Amino acid sequence: MPPVPIADDLFTWPDDEPRLIGGRCGECGAYAFPLRTGCPRCGATAVERTLLERSGTLWTWTSQGFLPKAPFNGQFASADPFEPWFVGVVELPGQLRVESILVGCPEDGPAIGMPMRLVTMPFRTDEDGREIVTFAFTPDESSPDEGDLPVSPRTPGEADHA
Amino acid sequence: MPDVAIIGTGIHRFGRFPGKPALSIAAEAARDALADAGLTWADMQFAVGGSYEVDQPDAVVAELGLTGVQFTNVYNGCATAGSALALARQTIGQGEHEIGLILGVDKHDPGAFTAEPEDYACPPWYGEMGLFLTPKFFGMKINRYMHDHGITHETLAAVAEKNYRNGALNPNAHRRTPLPAEKILGARMVNYPLTQYMFCSPNEGAAALVVCSADVAHRYTDKPVYLRSVATRTRRYGAFEVHTPSASVAADHVPAPTVDAARAAFEAAGVDPADVAIAQLQDTDAGAEVIHLAEVGLCADGEQNELIASGATEIGGRLPVNTDGGLIANGEPVGASGLRQVRELVLQMRGRAGERQVPGEPRVGVAQLYGAPGVAAVSVLST
């Protein structure tokens, strides 16, 4: 069975160079992600489907140091023993800052300002045995690293609850 | 609008109380506030109740007495207490009633809050991917703030250390054990740069206030504290907020809802932020207290390292913050949390805060709340 995206109309699929599917307001030109009926800036309902930039820079990030409760249902990281992962906000130039899981980052964390690009990743296997895929951002090695260093060294995230 | 006076405060200790119903916890806080005011439930002309977990806080009348009183339930996320205060202020200000009770209660399960993403205008995949979580937002917000303004990990630890130390002086706090900064910094990483001991926990508790028209306050107390203003605000387009899959880059430097609420509250009160002598800020995590100091207007961005290291925000400092231990030591029963803040301000301003009393009985205080999905409330009090 071919893999299935986590949601319809979320990212281009199948695609070797995936893009997120957003919206652009026909009245005020504001971008939106995900695509929804009303414009977040002016409230107009003339929002048109548009593809977002594939590449951007890391605006901020954190580690996910505990296994989230439902509705989280990912199987991309080990639950026992728990393996932390990174999440962040990627700035797509001139468009939006998008929240995302981050993959392929250095073990001690990514750096604010790093170039990032969109990829898809295996997310879980559903009840019917189908592979579900979702989007993530990863450091973009094709572009020069302009990232700043973190303010001070960090200890790698450990597993547990707040 | 005439000023509203706070003439009684009550609390049920914050913590975990297995087997004790939320409404029993609420009733104890209500009785405590009524006793403090020297009044009875039958004297209350109206009541406002706030809770996340209890659908109808007004059911507390079964414990307090079925007097037929007007009792309105409000819920506005972490800003619930702000909305309860605002409703009470309007009720008195419009002359509808002269005296009433504000009650907040909650009884949460341990662990991070969870809900249906779609109820917060977020798509299901946002929750499935583990993005529908408040702690990771706070980690990302302070990480960016540290990058922009040079706030250090040591400053975050100093905030948490202070709040545990203040909590140790507060018999109603949940966490009453002081923790040294090294232990806070070395604790397990929950959401970088925030460790386990830099976060508050959802828990249980209740708080209550008796309020009346300022015109009649001296019938009940010789030390009323006045609620000068309350403002609540939601997030604006472009602001970086909780539970937001994307935000615009076109609107950089969009003020957070706390900035808007604080400006409105200070303006309505006719008070300059520089006159604030004591503050209770939403310290969901140590980083939030650092950021909210600036968002409320009590310092400039980046001044916090020096301000906190100098001891200014300690009980004996020039701007004591979270003198009862804040959310970090008290935990966050959502409906009660903001009323706990106001109770602490009133105790301090009346000179009745015991071991944690700040010197000189502060005359102007501010309380601030912030939470998902980008809602804030700011209240200004004075003697």
Side-chain angles (χ1 to χ4, degrees):
Chain A
M1 284 182 288
V4 180
I6 192 169
D8 292 335
D9 248 7
L10 180 58
F11 49 85
T12 56
W13 178 264
D15 193 341
D16 289 339
E17 296 188 349
R19 308 264 295 267
L20 292 174
I21 298 168
R24 188 159 196 206
C25 179
E27 298 283 332
C28 77
Y31 287 91
F33 173 78
L35 183 57
R36 69 171 92 232
T37 306
C39 170
R41 184 159 81 184
C42 72
T45 52
V47 178
E48 290 152 17
R49 188 178 189 275
T50 190
L51 298 184
L52 301 182
E53 293 290 335
R54 190 178 178 216
S55 299
T57 53
L58 189 64
W59 190 74
T60 189
W61 65 274
T62 188
S63 52
Q64 180 55 43
F66 62 93
L67 188 68
K69 296 183 202 175
F72 175 74
N73 60 7
Q75 297 163 346
F76 57 90
S78 167
D80 187 22
F82 177 76
E83 283 173 21
W85 60 89
F86 296 112
V87 298
V89 173
V90 175
E91 179 164 326
L92 304 176
Q95 296 182 336
L96 293 169
R97 292 183 187 134
V98 176
E99 278 191 21
S100 179
I101 293 170
L102 307 179
V103 295
C105 295
E107 209 167 289
D108 60 348
I112 289 173
M114 271 178 126
M116 307 291 286
R117 72 185 157 85
L118 189 76
V119 293
T120 54
M121 66 177 238
F123 181 69
R124 70 183 182 104
T125 304
D126 77 3
E127 302 70 29
D128 302 324
R130 291 182 305 180
E131 186 188 331
I132 306 295
V133 293
T134 193
F135 70 92
F137 279 88
T138 195
D140 189 352
E141 277 142 25
S142 66
S143 127
D145 185 356
E146 291 161 2
D148 336 355
L149 292 170
V151 174
S152 71
R154 63 178 293 267
T155 50
E158 289 172 30
D160 220 319
H161 286 262
Chain B
M1 187 186 286
D3 277 328
V4 166
I6 300 167
I7 55 170
T9 71
I11 197 158
H12 179 289
R13 197 184 157 200
F14 285 20
R16 299 208 187 283
F17 310 99
K20 188 168 190 177
L23 288 175
S24 301
I25 292 172
E28 285 186 31
R31 290 187 195 111
D32 189 32
L34 290 164
D36 185 45
L39 292 164
T40 68
W41 175 237
D43 296 321
M44 296 300 104
Q45 298 165 4
F46 74 98
V48 180
S51 183
Y52 174 80
E53 306 283 356
V54 179
D55 291 340
Q56 297 268 145
D58 67 279
V60 75
V61 298
E63 287 238 24
L64 297 178
L66 301 162
T67 61
V69 69
Q70 168 187 313
F71 199 131
T72 309
N73 303 307
V74 301
Y75 174 68
N76 197 12
C78 293
T80 293
S83 293
L85 287 161
L87 178 59
R89 191 161 181 273
Q90 289 157 12
T91 302
I92 291 170
Q94 289 169 6
E96 193 180 344
H97 293 294
E98 202 168 64
I99 189 164
L101 181 87
I102 310 172
L103 178 61
V105 62
D106 253 311
K107 189 175 176 76
H108 304 295
D109 290 333
F113 287 113
T114 185
E116 287 300 322
E118 284 172 289
D119 292 341
Y120 283 78
C122 295
W125 59 259
Y126 187 71
E128 291 173 39
M129 284 172 65
L131 297 173
F132 187 70
L133 284 171
T134 53
K136 76 107 176 52
F137 164 78
F138 290 108
M140 295 199 300
K141 184 170 179 181
I142 188 63
N143 198 15
R144 179 74 200 190
Y145 194 84
M146 291 164 85
H147 174 268
D148 287 347
H149 301 292
I151 300 303
T152 64
H153 294 263
E154 289 67 29
T155 293
L156 301 183
V159 166
E161 183 182 39
K162 165 182 71 70
N163 291 353
Y164 289 117
R165 188 164 53 238
N166 292 352
L169 302 175
N170 175 4
N172 293 302
H174 186 181
R175 303 194 189 284
R176 303 200 58 210
T177 310
L179 273 178
E182 310 79 68
K183 197 168 174 191
I184 293 163
L185 278 171
R188 60 184 182 252
M189 193 60 75
V190 174
N191 291 102
Y192 178 87
L194 301 170
T195 69
Q196 179 192 8
Y197 296 130
M198 293 180 187
F199 274 107
C200 82
S201 313
N203 63 348
E204 307 173 26
L209 304 172
V210 179
V211 291
C212 72
S213 166
D215 299 339
V216 298
H218 281 281
R219 283 186 209 162
Y220 307 106
T221 177
D222 55 356
K223 280 196 166 183
V225 172
Y226 299 99
L227 176 63
R228 296 288 181 189
S229 64
V230 187
T232 64
R233 289 292 185 272
T234 56
R235 64 199 189 281
R236 287 205 234 175
Y237 177 68
F240 175 58
E241 297 296 328
V242 189
H243 300 338
T244 303
S246 76
S248 173
V249 295
D252 232 336
H253 309 297
V254 173
T258 290
V259 175
D260 288 332
R263 281 180 189 152
F266 283 122
E267 188 183 331
V271 165
D272 187 314
D275 296 334
V276 170
I278 183 169
Q280 290 279 112
L281 305 178
Q282 175 93 19
D283 54 328
T284 311
D285 61 279
E289 181 171 317
V290 170
I291 295 171
H292 290 152
L293 270 165
E295 287 187 353
V296 170
L298 303 177
C299 72
D301 289 320
E303 282 181 2
Q304 296 95 331
N305 285 336
E306 196 189 329
L307 191 74
I308 290 161
S310 74
T313 60
E314 302 281 345
I315 285 171
R318 85 174 156 77
L319 178 64
V321 176
N322 291 334
T323 46
D324 65 348
L327 280 80
I328 286 178
N330 286 279
E332 188 185 21
V334 162
S337 190
L339 299 182
R340 170 192 58 75
Q341 291 182 326
V342 171
R343 172 179 178 270
E344 175 67 7
L345 292 178
V346 171
L347 289 181
Q348 294 282 358
M349 294 165 84
R350 292 170 120 185
R352 295 178 189 170
E355 273 193 280
R356 61 182 192 280
Q357 178 66 46
V358 310
E361 292 186 21
R363 301 205 53 196
V364 177
V366 64
Q368 175 259 348
L369 296 166
Y370 171 80
V375 61
V378 173
S379 306
V380 177
L381 282 71
S382 74
T383 53

